[in-house]
């Protein structure tokens, strides 16, 4: 596919994100647009104070894609309004969308919007979520673990700021 889109929050780029982005790089021939959830949409996320800023998350996703497939042109843009159409819906030249199984309904909605505009439907490439049985790997879970470690460290009189290293989190 010449033009492919993918989207997500991409906080604490982890193996699940890497699978999604690697699949995107594999099916894309020339261009990938990465929609990254804007900070304003994440106000209700658990442990919001631990979320990486938009620029950090977008840069990490683009860097990973470029490392996997250096020949691709990659671009990121904010997903700012859940009711607004995405570039995948508005770009008549977009050919495919890579999603996880849990975001497949969003892909269906995007194709409905494309149909209403008279555009060809996107090919939908679906990747599984990963994790242990009954629990998927997620940024929310990673933030919760970091918050728990921070709380435990503070209870033990640890030095503030040492939490990231204790949790194995690097920047």
């Amino acid at each position: 596919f010449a033009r492919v889109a993918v989207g997500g929050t991409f906080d604490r780029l982890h193996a699940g994100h890497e699978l999604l982005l690697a699949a995107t790089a594999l099916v894309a021939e020339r261009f990938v647009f990465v929609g990254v959830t804007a900070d304003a949409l994440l106000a209700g996320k658990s442990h919001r104070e631990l979320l990486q800023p938009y620029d950090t998350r977008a840069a990490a996703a683009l860097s990973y894609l470029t490392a996997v497939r250096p020949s691709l042109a990659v671009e990121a843009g904010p997903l700012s309004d859940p009711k607004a159409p995405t570039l995948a819906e508005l770009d008549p030249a977009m050919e495919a969308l890579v999603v996880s199984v849990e975001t497949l309904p969003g892909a269906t909605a995007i194709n409905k919007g494309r149909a209403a505009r008279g555009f060809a439907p996107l090919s939908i490439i679906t990747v599984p979520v990963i994790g242990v049985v009954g629990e998927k790997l997620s940024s929310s879970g990673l933030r919760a673990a970091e918050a728990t470690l921070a709380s435990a460290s503070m209870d033990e009189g640890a030095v503030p700021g040492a939490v990231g290293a204790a949790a194995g989190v690097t920047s």
Side-chain angles (χ1 to χ4, degrees), residues 90-140:
L90 296 174
D91 180 353
M94 195 67 69
E95 297 176 342
L97 179 63
V98 181
V99 298
S100 68
V101 292
E102 66 184 2
T103 59
L104 192 53
T108 301
I110 287 170
N111 267 340
K112 284 182 183 176
R114 287 179 65 85
R117 289 173 170 76
F119 301 158
L122 298 171
S123 293
I124 307 300
I125 293 88
T126 308
V127 299
V129 293
I130 60 174
V132 295
V133 175
E135 187 174 337
K136 71 172 187 157
L137 176 61
S138 72
S139 298
S140 296

Side-chain angles (χ1 to χ4, degrees), residues 6-153:
V6 64
T9 301
F10 301 110
D11 184 46
R12 289 169 171 68
L13 199 70
H14 56 66
H17 297 134
E18 290 172 355
L19 175 62
L20 186 70
L21 293 169
T24 303
L26 287 172
V27 301
E29 294 173 5
R30 285 186 277 185
F31 174 79
V32 172
F33 178 77
V34 182
V36 180
T37 308
D39 290 337
L41 285 184
L42 301 175
K45 285 275 191 180
S46 61
H47 306 291
R48 167 72 179 96
E49 70 282 2
L50 298 176
L51 273 162
Q52 295 172 319
Y54 170 85
D55 289 339
T56 301
R57 295 180 286 112
L62 293 179
S63 176
Y64 186 82
L65 272 170
T66 301
V68 171
R69 188 106 179 259
S71 63
L72 285 175
V74 296
E75 178 184 322
L79 299 173
S80 304
D81 180 351
K83 295 180 182 169
T86 63
L87 183 65
E89 184 175 328
L90 296 174
D91 180 353
M94 195 67 69
E95 297 176 342
L97 179 63
V98 181
V99 298
S100 68
V101 292
E102 66 184 2
T103 59
L104 192 53
T108 301
I110 287 170
N111 267 340
K112 284 182 183 176
R114 287 179 65 85
R117 289 173 170 76
F119 301 158
L122 298 171
S123 293
I124 307 300
I125 293 88
T126 308
V127 299
V129 293
I130 60 174
V132 295
V133 175
E135 187 174 337
K136 71 172 187 157
L137 176 61
S138 72
S139 298
S140 296
L142 294 174
R143 284 192 308 278
E146 185 176 339
T148 299
L149 281 172
S151 177
S153 294

